[in-house]
Short mmCIF file of all heavy atoms in Angstrom, two decimals:
data_model
loop_
_atom_site.label_atom_id
_atom_site.label_comp_id
_atom_site.label_asym_id
_atom_site.label_seq_id
_atom_site.Cartn_x
_atom_site.Cartn_y
_atom_site.Cartn_z
N TYR A 1 0.90 20.17 -7.06
CA TYR A 1 -0.42 20.23 -6.41
C TYR A 1 -0.83 18.86 -5.92
O TYR A 1 -0.76 17.89 -6.67
CB TYR A 1 -1.48 20.72 -7.40
CG TYR A 1 -1.38 22.19 -7.74
CD1 TYR A 1 -0.52 22.63 -8.73
CD2 TYR A 1 -2.14 23.13 -7.06
CE1 TYR A 1 -0.43 23.97 -9.04
CE2 TYR A 1 -2.06 24.47 -7.37
CZ TYR A 1 -1.19 24.89 -8.36
OH TYR A 1 -1.10 26.21 -8.67
N ARG A 2 -1.20 18.79 -4.66
CA ARG A 2 -1.80 17.55 -4.19
C ARG A 2 -3.30 17.63 -4.48
O ARG A 2 -3.88 18.71 -4.49
CB ARG A 2 -1.56 17.31 -2.70
CG ARG A 2 -2.11 18.38 -1.78
CD ARG A 2 -1.98 17.96 -0.32
NE ARG A 2 -2.33 19.05 0.57
CZ ARG A 2 -1.48 19.61 1.42
NH1 ARG A 2 -0.21 19.20 1.48
NH2 ARG A 2 -1.89 20.58 2.22
N ILE A 3 -3.91 16.47 -4.68
CA ILE A 3 -5.32 16.39 -5.02
C ILE A 3 -6.03 15.51 -3.99
O ILE A 3 -5.53 14.44 -3.61
CB ILE A 3 -5.52 15.79 -6.41
CG1 ILE A 3 -4.85 16.67 -7.47
CG2 ILE A 3 -7.01 15.60 -6.72
CD1 ILE A 3 -5.42 18.06 -7.58
N GLY A 4 -7.17 15.97 -3.56
CA GLY A 4 -7.98 15.19 -2.64
C GLY A 4 -9.37 14.96 -3.22
O GLY A 4 -9.87 15.79 -3.98
N TRP A 5 -9.95 13.83 -2.89
CA TRP A 5 -11.34 13.55 -3.23
C TRP A 5 -12.14 13.45 -1.93
O TRP A 5 -11.73 12.75 -0.99
CB TRP A 5 -11.46 12.25 -4.03
CG TRP A 5 -11.05 12.37 -5.44
CD1 TRP A 5 -9.83 12.07 -5.97
CD2 TRP A 5 -11.85 12.82 -6.54
NE1 TRP A 5 -9.82 12.30 -7.32
CE2 TRP A 5 -11.06 12.76 -7.70
CE3 TRP A 5 -13.17 13.25 -6.66
CZ2 TRP A 5 -11.52 13.13 -8.96
CZ3 TRP A 5 -13.65 13.62 -7.92
CH2 TRP A 5 -12.82 13.56 -9.05
N PHE A 6 -13.25 14.12 -1.91
CA PHE A 6 -14.14 14.13 -0.75
C PHE A 6 -15.56 13.79 -1.21
O PHE A 6 -15.87 13.86 -2.39
CB PHE A 6 -14.15 15.51 -0.09
CG PHE A 6 -12.84 15.91 0.52
CD1 PHE A 6 -11.79 16.37 -0.26
CD2 PHE A 6 -12.64 15.84 1.89
CE1 PHE A 6 -10.57 16.73 0.29
CE2 PHE A 6 -11.43 16.20 2.46
CZ PHE A 6 -10.40 16.65 1.66
N ARG A 7 -16.39 13.44 -0.26
CA ARG A 7 -17.79 13.23 -0.59
C ARG A 7 -18.66 13.68 0.59
O ARG A 7 -18.22 13.70 1.73
CB ARG A 7 -18.07 11.77 -0.92
CG ARG A 7 -17.90 10.79 0.24
CD ARG A 7 -18.07 9.37 -0.26
NE ARG A 7 -17.90 8.39 0.83
CZ ARG A 7 -17.88 7.08 0.63
NH1 ARG A 7 -18.04 6.58 -0.59
NH2 ARG A 7 -17.73 6.27 1.67
N ARG A 8 -19.88 14.04 0.26
CA ARG A 8 -20.85 14.41 1.28
C ARG A 8 -22.16 13.72 0.97
O ARG A 8 -22.79 14.00 -0.06
CB ARG A 8 -21.05 15.92 1.35
CG ARG A 8 -22.12 16.33 2.37
CD ARG A 8 -22.15 17.81 2.60
NE ARG A 8 -21.00 18.24 3.35
CZ ARG A 8 -20.72 19.51 3.62
NH1 ARG A 8 -21.50 20.46 3.18
NH2 ARG A 8 -19.66 19.83 4.33
N ALA A 9 -22.54 12.83 1.85
CA ALA A 9 -23.82 12.13 1.72
C ALA A 9 -24.91 12.97 2.38
O ALA A 9 -24.62 13.82 3.23
CB ALA A 9 -23.73 10.76 2.39
N PRO A 10 -26.15 12.77 1.99
CA PRO A 10 -27.25 13.54 2.59
C PRO A 10 -27.25 13.42 4.11
O PRO A 10 -27.22 12.32 4.66
CB PRO A 10 -28.49 12.89 1.97
CG PRO A 10 -28.03 12.30 0.69
CD PRO A 10 -26.62 11.85 0.95
N GLY A 11 -27.27 14.55 4.78
CA GLY A 11 -27.33 14.57 6.23
C GLY A 11 -26.03 14.21 6.93
O GLY A 11 -26.01 14.06 8.16
N GLU A 12 -24.95 14.06 6.16
CA GLU A 12 -23.67 13.66 6.74
C GLU A 12 -22.63 14.76 6.60
O GLU A 12 -22.80 15.69 5.80
CB GLU A 12 -23.16 12.39 6.05
CG GLU A 12 -24.09 11.19 6.15
CD GLU A 12 -24.14 10.61 7.54
OE1 GLU A 12 -23.16 10.77 8.29
OE2 GLU A 12 -25.19 10.00 7.89
N GLU A 13 -21.57 14.62 7.35
CA GLU A 13 -20.44 15.54 7.22
C GLU A 13 -19.63 15.17 5.98
O GLU A 13 -19.67 14.05 5.49
CB GLU A 13 -19.55 15.42 8.45
CG GLU A 13 -20.20 15.87 9.74
CD GLU A 13 -20.40 17.37 9.78
OE1 GLU A 13 -19.51 18.09 9.28
OE2 GLU A 13 -21.44 17.81 10.30
N ARG A 14 -18.89 16.15 5.50
CA ARG A 14 -17.99 15.88 4.38
C ARG A 14 -16.93 14.88 4.81
O ARG A 14 -16.36 15.00 5.89
CB ARG A 14 -17.35 17.18 3.92
CG ARG A 14 -16.44 17.06 2.73
CD ARG A 14 -16.07 18.43 2.20
NE ARG A 14 -15.80 19.40 3.23
CZ ARG A 14 -15.54 20.68 3.01
NH1 ARG A 14 -15.54 21.15 1.78
NH2 ARG A 14 -15.30 21.50 4.02
N GLU A 15 -16.64 13.92 3.96
CA GLU A 15 -15.71 12.83 4.27
C GLU A 15 -14.60 12.78 3.24
O GLU A 15 -14.86 12.84 2.04
CB GLU A 15 -16.47 11.50 4.28
CG GLU A 15 -15.60 10.28 4.46
CD GLU A 15 -16.35 8.98 4.22
OE1 GLU A 15 -17.36 8.99 3.50
OE2 GLU A 15 -15.90 7.95 4.75
N GLY A 16 -13.39 12.65 3.71
CA GLY A 16 -12.27 12.46 2.80
C GLY A 16 -12.25 11.04 2.28
O GLY A 16 -12.32 10.09 3.06
N VAL A 17 -12.17 10.87 0.99
CA VAL A 17 -12.22 9.55 0.36
C VAL A 17 -10.83 9.08 -0.07
O VAL A 17 -10.44 7.94 0.18
CB VAL A 17 -13.15 9.58 -0.86
CG1 VAL A 17 -13.12 8.25 -1.61
CG2 VAL A 17 -14.57 9.94 -0.44
N SER A 18 -10.08 9.98 -0.69
CA SER A 18 -8.78 9.59 -1.23
C SER A 18 -7.95 10.84 -1.45
O SER A 18 -8.46 11.96 -1.45
CB SER A 18 -8.97 8.84 -2.54
OG SER A 18 -7.73 8.45 -3.09
N CYS A 19 -6.65 10.63 -1.65
CA CYS A 19 -5.77 11.72 -2.05
C CYS A 19 -4.65 11.14 -2.90
O CYS A 19 -4.35 9.94 -2.82
CB CYS A 19 -5.21 12.48 -0.86
SG CYS A 19 -4.03 11.57 0.13
N ILE A 20 -4.04 12.00 -3.69
CA ILE A 20 -2.93 11.59 -4.53
C ILE A 20 -1.94 12.73 -4.59
O ILE A 20 -2.30 13.91 -4.71
CB ILE A 20 -3.42 11.17 -5.93
CG1 ILE A 20 -2.26 10.65 -6.79
CG2 ILE A 20 -4.16 12.32 -6.63
CD1 ILE A 20 -2.71 9.98 -8.08
N SER A 21 -0.67 12.39 -4.48
CA SER A 21 0.37 13.42 -4.50
C SER A 21 0.58 13.93 -5.92
O SER A 21 0.09 13.38 -6.89
CB SER A 21 1.67 12.83 -3.96
OG SER A 21 2.10 11.73 -4.76
N SER A 22 1.36 15.00 -6.02
CA SER A 22 1.58 15.63 -7.32
C SER A 22 2.26 14.70 -8.31
O SER A 22 1.96 14.72 -9.50
CB SER A 22 2.42 16.90 -7.13
OG SER A 22 2.51 17.66 -8.31
N ASP A 23 3.18 13.86 -7.80
CA ASP A 23 3.87 12.92 -8.70
C ASP A 23 3.13 11.61 -8.85
O ASP A 23 3.56 10.72 -9.57
CB ASP A 23 5.30 12.68 -8.24
CG ASP A 23 5.38 12.03 -6.87
OD1 ASP A 23 4.33 11.72 -6.28
OD2 ASP A 23 6.50 11.85 -6.38
N GLY A 24 2.01 11.46 -8.15
CA GLY A 24 1.20 10.26 -8.27
C GLY A 24 1.69 9.06 -7.47
O GLY A 24 1.04 8.02 -7.46
N ASP A 25 2.82 9.21 -6.78
CA ASP A 25 3.39 8.07 -6.08
C ASP A 25 2.76 7.81 -4.72
O ASP A 25 2.82 6.70 -4.20
CB ASP A 25 4.90 8.26 -5.91
CG ASP A 25 5.65 7.96 -7.20
OD1 ASP A 25 5.02 7.44 -8.15
OD2 ASP A 25 6.86 8.22 -7.26
N ALA A 26 2.20 8.81 -4.11
CA ALA A 26 1.53 8.65 -2.82
C ALA A 26 0.03 8.69 -3.04
O ALA A 26 -0.50 9.67 -3.60
CB ALA A 26 1.95 9.75 -1.86
N ARG A 27 -0.64 7.62 -2.62
CA ARG A 27 -2.10 7.53 -2.77
C ARG A 27 -2.65 6.92 -1.50
O ARG A 27 -2.15 5.88 -1.04
CB ARG A 27 -2.48 6.67 -3.97
CG ARG A 27 -1.76 7.04 -5.26
CD ARG A 27 -2.19 6.17 -6.42
NE ARG A 27 -1.27 6.37 -7.56
CZ ARG A 27 -1.58 6.09 -8.82
NH1 ARG A 27 -2.77 5.62 -9.13
NH2 ARG A 27 -0.70 6.28 -9.79
#
């Protein structure tokens, strides 16, 4: 499973912040 982190500020579009691969080697 790949994992992504996103955030949404008030009045803003959802923004991708970070991601990490299943083995943790790609960030």
Side-chain angles (χ1 to χ4, degrees):
Y1 288 84
R2 60 172 172 243
I3 299 298
W5 284 95
F6 294 78
R7 66 186 180 186
R8 177 170 288 175
E12 300 289 334
E13 295 289 323
R14 182 169 41 184
E15 174 190 24
V17 175
S18 180
C19 69
I20 184 169
S21 60
S22 188
D23 63 2
D25 282 352
R27 310 181 192 201

